Amino acid sequence: MEAQTLYEKLWSSHVVHQEADGTALIYIDRHLVHEVTSPQAFEGLKLAGRKPWRVSSIVATADHNTPTDHWEQGIQDPVSRQQVETLDSNIREVGALAYFPFKNERQGIVHVIGPENGATLPGMTVVCGDSHTSTHGAFACLAHGIGTSEVEHVMATQCLIQKRSKTMLVRVDGKLGKGVTAKDVALAIIGRIGTAGGTGYAIEFGGEVMRSLSMEGRMTVCNMAIEAGARMGFVAVDQITIDYLKGRPFSPRGDDWERAVAYWRTLHSDEGARFDQLVVLRGEEIQPQVTWGTSPEMVVPVGATVPDPAKENDPVRREGMERALQYMGLTPNLPVTSIKIDKVFIGSCTNSRIEDLRQAAVIARGRRKADNVRQVLVVPGSGLVKRQAEQEGLDKIFVAAGFEWREPGCSMCLAMNADRLEPGERCASTSNRNFEGRQGAGGRTHLVSPAMAAAAAIAGHFADVRDIL
Amino acid sequence: MQKFITLNGLVAPLDRNNVDTDAIIPKQFLKSIKRSGFGPNAFDEWRYMDRGEPGMDNSQRPLNPNFVLNQPRYQGASVLLTRANFGCGSSREHAPWALLDYGFRAIIAESFADIFFNNCFKNGVVPIVLPKAEVDALFGLVEHSPGYTIEVDLPTQLVKRPDGHAVHFDIDPFRKECLINGWDDIGLTLRHADKIKAFEERRRAEHPYYFA
């Protein structure tokens, strides 16, 4: 048999029906649901008199609108509250394999709770009305974001209409240096191929660096595949994947576990499999990264200076750079480490897992945030992450450093709840998008790793985490 | 879904790369549980001088005179002309909902982000990819000729300029058929319900642990 890529294996194992032109019906194993992109889908289903095809595929939670403090007061914003209550009533009516509502101890960001509960398993197709569904590709899943019409389509038919993507292998060879993390790998890849570099592709992340990353690290890289334009990114199964999944609430048990593991071990690209495109990075060359502009591709190593649009030849790109610098309140050729910050956000589906919090805590331990930093939010990805962090005493380290230890949720990654930047405020953020207004109208976002965010909180400006470690 | 066959419409230019879905419809408006009414908040942060929140009377808000779509000459536009990687970012279908509600039925760009591109087709909005040279030319023509319209002919897959110049565009044949007929995807898929059931039973037997 011809050598297959992981993508081809995952794709062909889910084709229900295929037309002559390649348009296929793809079966969906897991449907993650949150409050923002589902209400219109539930309503559409009801209006058409349709029943959900398989409710046991649904895992739901409320994460985007939920507050991260004063849970005893409930959700203050009536519009947010209505959206969360709409999810409550829709799930009550329709059912689900699991629902982790607001205040539930296992509630959290949908892309954190899926894996930590073993609801994301290798070989699955995983979809959600959320572009960061690519995160689940860390488990060798075909996982991607969909719009609300497709949310309704999956509810009604358990399938999606799709065509095969092109394949790209991003290989990160060698080893990462001290203080360089999965987030820096993700940003370095985006810096290399651009935010549209992966458009039309399914990206497999491979190489020694990816193999050495924990599942948390792999999730961070796959999470940001969409920031490189690729709807999905994934990593082959290995012992690290299998060890992570053993014993999780929805992981298989007993004979099923053995049977599943035997299958999962086949979920890798075969020797000699051909990709449509290959990108190679050296781990040793990746430095801690900081974005300077309003697109994740506007990124430089921490030791660099803010780029100069005058050196850009393409007029549309040059204008884009100038506009970004103006929005960000920066001037060309400024050293990145001289940029002072007002706020820090440690959290989001990119960087809110236990390992992320540990990386930040290593920097925060025994230190204190700089006086010019008004607020440092630490928002764990889920109730379970929060509990574990507290068992490890990380919350105390953060609080002693002047950071705020919050309840889980999406929080200031997109500022749908009360956590947001004010106009002109500058933030070192572990989230995934530095778009204009993303963290609040007029807010200025610099994307960094959790360790770099903590280092910036301590220094009051961007600082090379390697000088602190 | 609204059918799309041909459109002869006023063109509005948005001369930027990487227009993201947060710019198209900011997050505070995603709290709505409806599918409609997003048009007045399309491009909210660029379009208005104040900070928009749900429930505001948008007709009373101060417009940003420097935002291109606020210029009188582009009022009533139904074709949006833009650059590379339009619609990047989140999967929010509120983005095409907002553009459609604003009045756009066709978007011409050098390239689109995948999820946004896909979402357009579910809403009767046609995303058209044209070569950079054609897009450059259109930007020039639109700027220099107030009231500039073009015709989008979906059956023949042509964008026709008033000067007679016509450019072919590619579109997936299945998606084209759905647009021309205004078909509902779910109805089409459910014609294969027996196949889906059979597939599901096979999968359940082979991989029971995915059905726990």
Side-chain angles (χ1 to χ4, degrees):
Chain A
M1 208 169 85
E2 204 182 329
Q4 284 187 306
T5 63
L6 173 56
Y7 176 71
E8 285 159 347
K9 290 181 186 181
L10 292 169
W11 169 269
S12 61
S13 63
H14 288 88
V15 175
V16 171
H17 171 79
Q18 192 157 337
E19 302 284 348
D21 71 347
T23 304
L25 272 186
I26 293 296
Y27 187 80
I28 302 303
D29 295 307
R30 177 66 67 230
H31 190 183
L32 302 168
V33 171
H34 67 68
E35 79 277 20
V36 181
T37 53
S38 65
Q40 298 87 350
F42 281 110
E43 192 194 16
L45 206 63
K46 206 182 296 179
L47 288 175
R50 288 173 175 137
K51 291 259 174 285
W53 185 280
R54 183 164 72 82
V55 291
S56 68
S57 68
I58 296 175
V59 172
T61 194
D63 54 6
H64 285 60
N65 281 277
T66 54
T68 59
D69 59 355
H70 297 295
W71 271 12
E72 74 289 352
Q73 294 173 13
I75 303 173
Q76 295 294 303
D77 176 353
V79 196
S80 286
R81 191 170 61 237
Q82 185 196 24
Q83 196 163 57
V84 172
E85 286 171 354
T86 302
L87 179 64
D88 287 341
S89 70
N90 281 328
I91 296 292
R92 208 180 305 127
E93 195 176 328
V94 165
L97 173 70
Y99 179 42
F100 305 118
F102 175 46
K103 294 188 187 178
N104 183 288
E105 62 166 9
R106 288 204 272 164
Q107 179 266 353
I109 305 173
V110 69
H111 308 308
V112 175
I113 64 165
E116 77 181 2
N117 284 290
T120 299
L121 296 172
M124 277 183 164
T125 40
V126 179
V127 296
C128 177
D130 194 291
S131 60
H132 292 111
T133 309
S134 59
T135 309
H136 306 264
F139 294 85
C141 293
L142 213 58
H144 61 83
I146 54 178
T148 298
S149 294
E150 288 192 324
V151 170
E152 185 181 338
H153 193 279
V154 173
M155 283 181 185
T157 70
Q158 212 56 42
C159 289
L160 279 178
I161 302 171
Q162 280 193 348
K163 276 195 165 171
R164 258 163 80 143
S165 301
K166 293 179 284 182
T167 55
M168 180 188 294
L169 175 63
V170 174
R171 213 178 67 207
V172 190
D173 292 336
K175 290 192 166 50
L176 294 179
K178 185 183 78 166
V180 181
T181 67
K183 181 64 164 287
D184 303 304
V185 173
L187 288 170
I189 291 168
I190 297 162
R192 168 78 74 85
I193 70 175
T195 50
T199 303
Y201 287 91
I203 298 181
E204 178 170 347
F205 298 102
E208 198 185 339
V209 164
M210 291 308 300
R211 295 263 66 88
S212 67
L213 288 178
S214 65
M215 288 316 296
E216 285 84 352
R218 293 176 190 182
M219 281 190 259
T220 299
V221 175
C222 290
N223 173 278
M224 294 200 64
I226 185 66
E227 273 24 276
R231 282 199 303 171
M232 46 196 142
F234 33 78
V235 179
V237 170
D238 60 13
Q239 196 58 40
I240 292 174
T241 324
I242 290 165
D243 290 345
Y244 178 96
L245 287 168
K246 194 161 175 68
R248 304 226 167 226
F250 292 111
S251 289
R253 294 173 193 285
D255 288 349
D256 266 357
W257 171 257
E258 298 305 326
R259 201 168 151 189
V261 168
Y263 170 55
W264 294 346
R265 289 197 190 279
T266 68
L267 297 176
H268 54 79
S269 291
D270 297 330
E271 193 74 38
R274 276 202 301 272
F275 292 83
D276 296 309
Q277 212 185 123
L278 171 68
V279 174
V280 182
L281 282 80
R282 284 297 310 179
E284 291 80 2
E285 290 169 7
I286 299 174
Q287 315 276 320
Q289 306 280 307
V290 181
T291 66
W292 57 267
T294 52
S295 163
E297 70 185 14
M298 294 173 166
V299 64
V300 289
V302 63
T305 55
V306 173
D308 189 346
K311 291 177 186 153
E312 172 61 52
N313 293 323
D314 179 272
V316 180
R317 283 180 68 92
R318 183 166 60 237
E319 220 173 286
M321 290 173 75
E322 284 164 356
R323 200 181 289 122
L325 288 178
Q326 191 184 8
Y327 180 86
M328 294 297 289
L330 296 173
T331 47
N333 306 314
L334 200 67
V336 167
T337 49
S338 71
I339 302 171
K340 287 193 169 180
I341 55 159
D342 305 304
K343 283 186 176 170
V344 176
F345 173 61
I346 298 172
S348 86
C349 58
T350 312
N351 280 133
S352 65
R353 297 177 184 83
I354 190 67
E355 187 184 284
D356 302 313
L357 302 184
R358 287 178 193 143
Q359 285 171 6
V362 165
I363 305 299
R365 183 179 322 225
R367 297 191 175 94
R368 217 177 142 73
K369 75 169 182 67
D371 289 340
N372 64 300
V373 177
R374 288 175 211 142
Q375 185 178 46
V376 183
L377 285 183
V378 187
V379 183
S382 70
L384 295 184
V385 170
K386 182 170 190 246
R387 196 168 71 195
Q388 187 174 350
E390 289 173 354
Q391 281 164 0
E392 296 179 17
L394 305 186
D395 58 324
K396 294 198 174 61
I397 294 170
F398 292 133
V399 171
F403 298 7
E404 294 176 34
W405 179 241
R406 294 292 189 97
E407 304 289 350
C410 298
S411 181
M412 207 162 71
C413 172
L414 86 168
M416 270 188 86
N417 68 0
D419 309 334
R420 66 179 67 157
L421 298 180
E422 295 304 318
E425 279 187 333
R426 187 180 300 285
C427 182
S429 178
T430 68
S431 54
N432 39 58
R433 291 190 175 133
N434 51 353
F435 298 157
E436 285 184 29
R438 171 80 178 180
Q439 295 191 290
R444 294 162 171 165
T445 302
H446 296 265
L447 303 176
V448 289
S449 73
M452 284 287 289
I458 303 301
H461 52 80
F462 291 104
D464 192 332
V465 68
R466 294 169 298 186
D467 298 337
I468 300 171
L469 279 170
Chain B
M1 184 176 80
Q2 237 178 311
K3 288 182 186 182
F4 189 109
I5 299 168
T6 58
L7 169 74
N8 200 329
L10 182 69
V11 186
L14 190 58
D15 196 358
R16 300 181 180 212
N17 286 332
N18 299 320
V19 173
D20 60 72
T21 54
D22 277 85
I24 297 170
I25 183 81
K27 83 282 293 176
Q28 61 269 37
F29 304 107
L30 310 190
K31 296 177 188 180
S32 167
I33 56 172
K34 300 201 187 95
R35 239 174 216 274
S36 55
F38 295 102
N41 300 111
F43 303 110
D44 198 275
E45 281 179 25
W46 293 342
R47 189 167 158 193
Y48 300 101
M49 300 298 281
D50 62 348
R51 184 151 126 184
E53 288 296 337
M56 290 170 93
D57 179 357
N58 295 296
S59 66
Q60 300 301 311
R61 296 174 57 198
L63 291 171
N64 176 1
N66 296 321
F67 181 51
V68 62
L69 296 189
N70 285 338
Q71 293 178 27
R73 58 181 288 199
Y74 298 123
Q75 301 316 300
S78 57
V79 179
L80 183 65
L81 175 67
T82 184
R83 292 285 182 182
N85 200 28
F86 186 81
C88 60
S90 88
S91 63
R92 60 187 73 166
E93 200 162 316
H94 312 69
W97 292 341
L99 295 171
L100 179 65
D101 202 47
Y102 184 95
F104 292 120
R105 291 297 312 278
I107 306 168
I108 297 175
E110 289 166 34
S111 60
F112 291 90
D114 283 341
I115 303 179
F116 175 84
F117 186 73
N118 196 36
N119 283 340
C120 284
F121 289 102
K122 314 290 179 188
N123 294 282
V125 175
V126 187
I128 298 168
V129 178
L130 290 187
K132 188 174 184 312
E134 294 289 345
V135 171
D136 281 342
L138 277 175
F139 269 107
L141 288 163
V142 168
E143 193 187 337
H144 295 110
S145 3
Y148 192 84
T149 60
I150 54 155
E151 189 184 337
V152 176
D153 187 322
L154 186 56
T156 61
Q157 297 177 222
L158 290 173
V159 171
K160 298 174 185 167
R161 295 192 332 215
D163 61 8
H165 177 82
V167 204
H168 181 85
F169 62 91
D170 285 329
I171 186 166
D172 178 87
F174 173 74
R175 286 168 156 168
K176 175 178 165 181
E177 213 181 334
C178 289
L179 280 169
I180 289 176
N181 294 289
W183 280 338
D184 163 18
D185 276 357
I186 296 178
L188 293 177
T189 297
L190 286 174
R191 293 181 312 177
H192 300 292
D194 289 346
K195 276 193 163 178
I196 302 171
K197 279 190 194 124
F199 179 92
E200 193 166 56
E201 285 319 305
R202 278 200 311 276
R203 188 158 178 80
R204 194 189 293 273
E206 208 177 323
H207 303 287
Y209 39 85
Y210 292 145
F211 292 80

